[in-house]
Amino acid sequence: MQNSYPVSEVKSIINASGDIINHNSISVLLTDSRRITNPAASLFFALSDRRNGHEFIADAYASGVRNFVVKQQQAFMMPDANFLMVDNVLAALQKLAAHHRSQFNIPVIGVTGSNGKTIVKEWLYQLMCPDGNIVRNPKSYNSQIGVPLSVWQINETHTLGIFEAGISTYNEMDLLEAVIQPSIGVLTHMGTAHDEGFKSAEDKLAEKLKLFTNCSLLVHNYDVLVNVKTDLKTETRCFTWSRKFKQADLYVFSETVISGKYYLRAMYKDSEIECLIPFRNQAAVENAIVCWATMLAMDYSPADADERIERLTAVSMRLELKNGINDCSIIDDSYNSDIQSLEIALNFLSQQNQHQKKTLILSDIFQSGLSQQELYTQVAHLVKDKQVERFIGVGPSINEHKALFNVPKMHFYADTSALLRDMAKLHLRSETILIKGSRSFEFEKVSRALVQKAHETVLEINLNSLLGNLNFYRSKLNPGVKVMAMVKAFSYGSGTFELANMLQYNKVDYLAVAYTDEGIDLREGGITLPIVVLNPEPLAYDKLTAYKLEPEIYSFTLLDEFVKYAQEAEITNYPIHIKIDTGMHRLGFEDLEIETLCDLLEINKYVNVRSVFSHLVASDAEQHDLFTLKQIGIFDKACAQIEEALGYHFMRHISNTSGITRWPNAQYDMVRLGIGLYGVDAAVSPDEAGLKPIATLKTTVSQVKKLLANETVGYNRNGSLKNDGVIATVRIGYADGYLRAFGNGVGTMLVNGVLAPTVGNISMDMCMIDITEVPNIKEGDEVIVFNEQQRIEELARQIGTIPYEILTNISHRVKRVYFYE
Ligand SMILES: *Cc1c(COP(=O)(O)O)cnc(C)c1O
């Protein structure tokens, strides 16, 4: 049931100019030239404003795309392609989606708020999917681009739409309202915090409410709008809920925990009703109440609502990349399965370069709204297109449609236990495996069988935030400036090829590592970008060149040995990078040595100077700005001298993270982006939009103990509580990188959102925290060492160090898990 519009019709819908050369039909809207599956029926929107749109158009054209929406006044030399020219490409995408939406007269729920949008959307889907065929945003595609792509999926088989909308500043919601055209509105949790993009919390609320301008029904928390003047139409019926105000339509007056579940009682239409929520944490409870109110507002009976809510399941929107057994990498997406999220997950699989072999384990897909034949035809097409080498299908429907698949290696199983019984015989080894299953198939068992056992302290790395940070800095660069991403020291403790892969896929220009071995690891993980080695060891020059790594040359000895090696190995023109010491006094050629250096390089056919660079000692610190200027001056002079001697062009670079924003005139040809990638930058306020910490270090409680005031805790009896209280022992110690300096109340951990100080000395593998103020903590509960709330900067402050040290201290025994939403 794919939509299809003649390209001429699209042209008139979006008011474009340009000639139609090919009378194609459009069914796929593309915004990323790397994700093309059906080129002939695709319409590519050249959205990129940051990077050169021409480049992506050429890529898409090369993949067979012949229909493009581009900005006016650009010339393209592609005679057999249609170019629809508009003033604003994003607006054209939205206009087309809005037109498509208006072709369908079905109820559409529009969801917005500051938190919980995706969960509420997914839960409403779970709750209402027995009653019809629902279309919704894939994952959290709720942006100015994600919403139109989501709405484009609507087809005539759908009976209900549920779309979430996310905004970050003014004048965005009207645009999304026009695309979603919701008839029912749902407002989720509204934080009172004043967000980056808005002057005040009131402004933020007012902007969000614009989604509901044309709704006939709005479900919201009574408390949030109680004293707020809104522009809602008088005919909009509001259904309110509250935990405080009796006058709400749904007044929740009692909340208790019964065997791990949350039991609510409420007044509704003058009678008492109840609801059991299978979650305990406060955010989940609030999201569930929002869903409960929505069901009642839509005339579900209280009994029906209660019965369905009790069966809600956790929503995981993220793909997790983990280390597997037998040198496999596992992409775990075992909780939901539909064709859109399958495509997203397969894209992620195909981005992975660490193993040649790529394997997909897939269960039957439910609720697609397509006929089985059509569904599995599409699945088979995707699987082939993404070059899956081994396909493992589980479930009766996939089995029935076996014949549609055409993959080098295929295995089919009737159910999950049959797969598990056969697992050893499959000899999964050195491959990247995507596990994707509908919930009822319980693929978490498959994941458990394939993932390496983790001790329960993990460092989670958010690859979306990594990308966000990269784009944040890209937006600060002068046109044409390249990016060298610093991934030395295990990517500042965050991982190796996993991050490098993401950076490569998103086209940074260079990577830099500290030692040759680190570079080799990246090459073996499939990284093909140019890589600079900052501390090349002469004994490893053979490996360095064999793996095409480019050395930093900082001294005559190093240059001499490299040239000798190159001579013997009959290597010429090998790319090197010359380091100038402009004031750090660590490594590099000094002012007076430049002339001799020039003499040596001039007559040298063995090396080719790819770049000349230096390092700023205090780019973030105002009190040293004069010194920074002096460094820049010395650097300019050295570069000019070398350029004159060599007679050819090389790149120049001096800026590290803080230099990028503070010294825009010193970006030269390239910047070296380090800690900013990981979300930390002393020169950028932590509230600045766009920069986010990428790492969360978490552990779990191994035991809870009641303690009397006079008892002592840990080695040497250093710790005690002032009053009687409760402590928890957690599974992290100095051997994991949680330094002893954090002991005795210096460090804090987040438990259920509350900061709990350490008690006593930190042990090697564990430590104790005071949880007297945190109710209901039990063994196995999660404890956060750092995340977006308690930031690495704060930990650094606690023990008087810098964030770099906190990050790189986390020991290798702490498992890294990468996720991508
Ligand atoms: C580590 C390093 C950087 C990156 O510094 P950040 O402050 O993390 O951005 C840049 N250049 C050199 C030479 C480095 O060693």
Side-chain angles (χ1 to χ4, degrees):
M1 226 0 74
Q2 276 205 326
N3 306 306
S4 175
Y5 286 80
V7 71
S8 53
E9 191 181 339
V10 172
K11 180 183 161 188
S12 77
I13 294 169
I14 63 173
N15 248 326
S17 58
D19 298 329
I20 306 282
I21 313 276
N22 265 318
H23 288 272
N24 303 324
S25 276
I26 302 299
S27 53
V28 182
L29 307 187
L30 269 182
T31 58
D32 186 336
S33 59
R34 298 165 304 193
R35 301 195 169 164
I36 296 169
T37 47
N38 184 1
S42 293
L43 175 61
F44 182 80
F45 288 80
L47 283 172
S48 59
D49 40 15
R50 221 173 11 245
R51 294 172 61 92
N52 184 353
H54 289 66
E55 190 186 312
F56 295 122
I57 288 170
D59 284 354
Y61 183 87
S63 309
V65 177
R66 291 294 176 270
N67 307 290
F68 299 89
V69 179
V70 299
K71 227 171 136 58
Q72 298 284 10
Q73 315 288 353
Q74 303 207 46
F76 296 97
M77 295 312 209
M78 298 159 190
D80 57 339
N82 297 321
F83 285 96
L84 307 183
M85 291 184 286
V86 295
D87 289 331
N88 180 331
V89 176
L90 177 60
L93 171 67
Q94 293 170 342
K95 215 183 277 176
L96 180 58
H99 171 89
H100 181 65
R101 161 68 183 98
S102 62
Q103 305 306 300
F104 299 91
N105 187 16
I106 53 170
V108 167
I109 304 178
V111 183
T112 196
S114 348
N115 307 94
K117 295 181 282 290
T118 303
I119 306 283
V120 165
K121 176 206 64 184
E122 288 297 315
W123 276 355
L124 289 174
Y125 171 79
Q126 286 185 17
L127 294 165
M128 297 179 184
C129 79
D131 310 316
N133 189 15
I134 303 176
V135 54
R136 68 195 197 281
N137 326 56
K139 308 232 167 203
S140 46
Y141 275 32
N142 62 21
S143 68
Q144 296 290 322
I145 299 170
V147 166
L149 295 179
S150 302
V151 164
W152 181 254
Q153 306 169 98
I154 307 177
N155 65 44
E156 60 213 39
T157 69
H158 293 121
T159 55
L160 172 69
I162 310 179
F163 296 107
E164 57 170 302
I167 53 167
S168 50
T169 185
Y170 298 91
N171 301 325
E172 291 191 334
M173 196 55 102
D174 282 338
L175 302 171
L176 297 184
E177 196 279 337
V179 176
I180 298 176
Q181 301 161 30
S183 50
I184 301 168
V186 174
L187 183 65
T188 64
H189 182 82
M190 282 300 302
T192 47
H194 129 208
D195 288 17
E196 311 91 27
F198 296 94
K199 282 209 212 72
S200 65
E202 295 75 49
D203 279 13
K204 182 175 71 173
L205 178 63
E207 182 68 29
K208 301 221 170 192
L209 289 176
K210 289 187 184 161
L211 180 61
F212 310 128
T213 320
N214 296 306
C215 287
S216 54
L217 169 65
L218 170 62
V219 180
H220 69 85
N221 180 345
Y222 183 87
D223 315 20
V224 172
L225 297 188
V226 72
N227 284 321
V228 177
K229 283 237 319 250
T230 68
D231 296 334
L232 293 172
K233 287 204 203 127
T234 41
E235 58 270 31
T236 306
R237 175 167 77 93
C238 285
F239 185 101
T240 59
W241 64 273
S242 178
R243 295 153 115 164
K244 277 203 286 215
F245 295 94
K246 288 200 170 81
Q247 54 271 51
D249 295 297
L250 178 68
Y251 166 52
V252 179
F253 64 85
S254 154
E255 314 184 19
T256 39
V257 176
I258 298 180
S259 59
K261 295 188 179 181
Y262 212 82
Y263 176 60
L264 299 178
R265 290 192 299 159
M267 293 306 292
Y268 168 65
K269 290 190 175 167
D270 297 325
S271 45
E272 190 183 317
I273 63 171
E274 57 181 15
C275 174
L276 200 57
I277 297 171
F279 301 94
R280 287 195 317 159
N281 82 64
Q282 279 306 314
V285 170
E286 178 167 343
N287 291 332
I289 296 176
V290 172
C291 293
W292 192 19
T294 308
M295 290 188 85
L296 297 171
M298 291 173 69
D299 293 327
Y300 281 85
S301 75
D304 207 4
D306 177 31
E307 192 190 316
R308 293 188 190 192
I309 288 171
E310 199 182 333
R311 292 198 308 253
L312 279 179
T313 52
V315 172
S316 168
M317 284 291 116
R318 54 193 224 183
L319 302 167
E320 294 190 343
L321 174 62
K322 304 171 178 168
N323 289 324
I325 56 167
N326 303 331
D327 183 40
C328 289
S329 299
I330 309 296
I331 301 171
D332 196 344
D333 191 9
S334 49
Y335 287 112
N336 63 79
S337 197
D338 54 59
I339 191 134
Q340 290 79 24
S341 68
L342 175 64
E343 183 170 354
I344 294 167
L346 281 170
N347 278 325
F348 189 67
L349 176 69
S350 66
Q351 286 170 39
Q352 301 302 315
N353 297 308
Q354 60 270 37
H355 307 296
Q356 295 240 302
K357 274 192 275 179
K358 300 199 164 88
T359 298
L360 167 65
I361 307 182
L362 180 71
S363 79
D364 286 355
I365 294 176
F366 301 119
Q367 295 281 342
S368 69
L370 304 171
S371 74
Q372 299 271 307
Q373 180 73 21
E374 186 165 357
L375 169 66
Y376 291 107
T377 305
Q378 285 188 27
V379 171
H381 181 80
L382 266 179
V383 167
K384 180 150 178 48
D385 200 69
K386 300 293 172 191
Q387 291 165 10
V388 169
E389 197 148 307
R390 185 188 330 223
F391 179 76
I392 302 172
V394 181
S397 312
I398 279 193
N399 268 278
E400 214 171 289
H401 296 88
K402 253 185 227 195
L404 296 170
F405 289 89
N406 175 12
V407 177
K409 269 192 198 159
M410 298 193 281
H411 319 264
F412 290 89
Y413 296 96
D415 54 31
T416 307
S417 358
L419 165 62
L420 288 170
R421 277 195 303 273
D422 223 32
M423 196 69 97
K425 280 193 229 137
L426 288 171
H427 296 293
L428 298 165
R429 174 170 294 281
S430 302
E431 44 204 289
T432 308
I433 305 171
L434 168 62
I435 305 175
K436 183 107 184 103
S438 304
R439 184 167 294 270
S440 60
F441 279 85
E442 300 184 328
F443 268 12
E444 59 274 16
K445 292 180 182 161
V446 179
S447 150
R448 233 174 284 143
L450 294 176
V451 169
Q452 272 181 18
K453 300 282 166 290
H455 105 250
E456 293 184 56
T457 301
V458 291
L459 184 69
E460 286 187 350
I461 304 295
N462 183 333
L463 295 174
N464 297 76
S465 300
L466 176 80
L467 199 54
N469 296 340
L470 172 64
N471 286 334
F472 170 80
Y473 287 102
R474 275 188 169 154
S475 73
K476 309 280 178 195
L477 295 182
N478 305 323
V481 174
K482 293 181 159 60
V483 176
M484 176 184 284
M486 307 308 282
V487 294
K488 62 193 183 198
F490 199 45
S491 292
Y492 290 43
S494 300
T496 55
F497 63 81
E498 300 89 350
L499 277 86
N501 205 10
M502 196 72 187
L503 295 167
Q504 172 165 292
Y505 185 71
N506 288 285
K507 305 206 159 123
V508 305
D509 303 280
Y510 259 91
L511 296 176
V513 295
Y515 294 104
T516 308
D517 279 345
E518 296 176 4
I520 294 174
D521 282 349
L522 293 184
R523 286 280 181 258
E524 296 196 325
I527 303 301
T528 53
L529 282 177
I531 300 176
V532 171
V533 178
L534 300 170
N535 282 290
E537 314 87 317
L539 283 177
Y541 279 155
D542 53 342
K543 281 204 181 132
L544 181 117
T545 50
Y547 284 87
K548 296 199 162 39
L549 306 171
E550 305 177 7
E552 162 182 329
I553 300 292
Y554 54 79
S555 70
F556 290 117
T557 323
L558 211 57
L559 179 62
D560 194 45
E561 295 195 56
F562 190 76
V563 169
K564 259 196 219 127
Y565 167 78
Q567 220 163 351
E568 273 165 31
E570 298 182 5
I571 292 171
T572 53
N573 264 320
Y574 199 85
I576 62 168
H577 301 262
I578 300 288
K579 173 80 157 282
I580 309 294
D581 183 356
T582 55
M584 173 78 94
H585 299 134
R586 191 171 65 180
L587 298 177
F589 293 97
E590 289 174 28
D591 212 4
L592 294 176
E593 297 174 322
I594 305 288
E595 209 177 309
T596 319
L597 176 67
C598 289
D599 291 345
L600 288 172
L601 290 174
E602 229 172 339
I603 47 160
N604 200 308
K605 63 171 184 180
Y606 299 103
V607 294
N608 176 278
V609 177
R610 210 37 73 79
S611 82
V612 173
F613 73 108
S614 186
H615 198 25
L616 298 174
V617 302
S619 59
D620 60 326
E622 207 177 324
Q623 72 267 35
H624 297 301
D625 280 356
L626 279 178
F627 190 81
T628 303
L629 274 175
K630 194 171 139 203
Q631 284 195 279
I632 293 172
I634 298 175
F635 181 60
D636 275 336
K637 186 170 153 244
C639 287
Q641 217 176 330
I642 301 173
E643 182 141 33
E644 183 170 338
L646 291 183
Y648 60 81
H649 176 76
F650 47 79
M651 290 180 291
R652 293 166 304 162
H653 45 108
I654 195 167
S655 259
N656 64 337
T657 294
S658 298
I660 297 175
T661 43
R662 291 201 70 236
W663 296 94
N665 293 333
Q667 292 177 358
Y668 294 98
D669 303 301
M670 181 151 73
V671 294
R672 299 188 306 273
L673 177 57
I675 196 140
L677 263 182
Y678 310 98
V680 178
D681 183 346
V684 173
S685 135
D687 312 319
E688 170 128 23
L691 199 59
K692 273 205 185 136
I694 69 164
T696 297
L697 178 60
K698 49 163 92 159
T699 182
T700 53
V701 172
S702 33
Q703 201 172 19
V704 175
K705 289 177 190 293
K706 291 212 168 84
L707 209 71
L708 298 176
N710 56 0
E711 292 178 297
T712 62
V713 179
Y715 285 116
N716 300 100
R717 308 190 59 205
N718 262 4
S720 63
L721 302 184
K722 276 210 195 80
N723 303 305
D724 296 357
V726 189
I727 60 167
T729 304
V730 297
R731 297 181 166 96
I732 188 168
Y734 58 78
D736 300 295
Y738 196 66
L739 301 180
R740 281 186 88 249
F742 285 112
N744 300 299
V746 171
T748 48
M749 296 188 191
L750 272 172
V751 190
N752 248 349
V754 180
L755 284 176
T758 58
V759 193
N761 289 329
I762 309 291
S763 306
M764 187 183 290
D765 310 309
M766 51 198 131
C767 63
M768 279 64 88
I769 53 177
D770 178 356
I771 54 162
T772 313
E773 303 299 322
V774 203
N776 293 327
I777 296 304
K778 48 183 189 6
E779 286 170 22
D781 281 359
E782 180 178 282
V783 175
I784 305 281
V785 181
F786 60 72
N787 65 0
E788 267 185 71
Q789 278 94 53
Q790 167 154 274
R791 297 172 60 117
I792 296 167
E793 290 95 320
E794 170 61 17
L795 269 77
R797 200 196 50 75
Q798 287 169 350
I799 63 166
T801 181
I802 52 174
Y804 300 75
E805 198 179 21
I806 301 284
L807 270 172
T808 53
N809 260 334
I810 301 160
S811 87
H812 281 234
R813 94 172 172 194
V814 174
K815 290 281 184 302
R816 271 70 173 167
V817 173
Y818 303 86
F819 65 88
Y820 184 67
E821 290 166 340

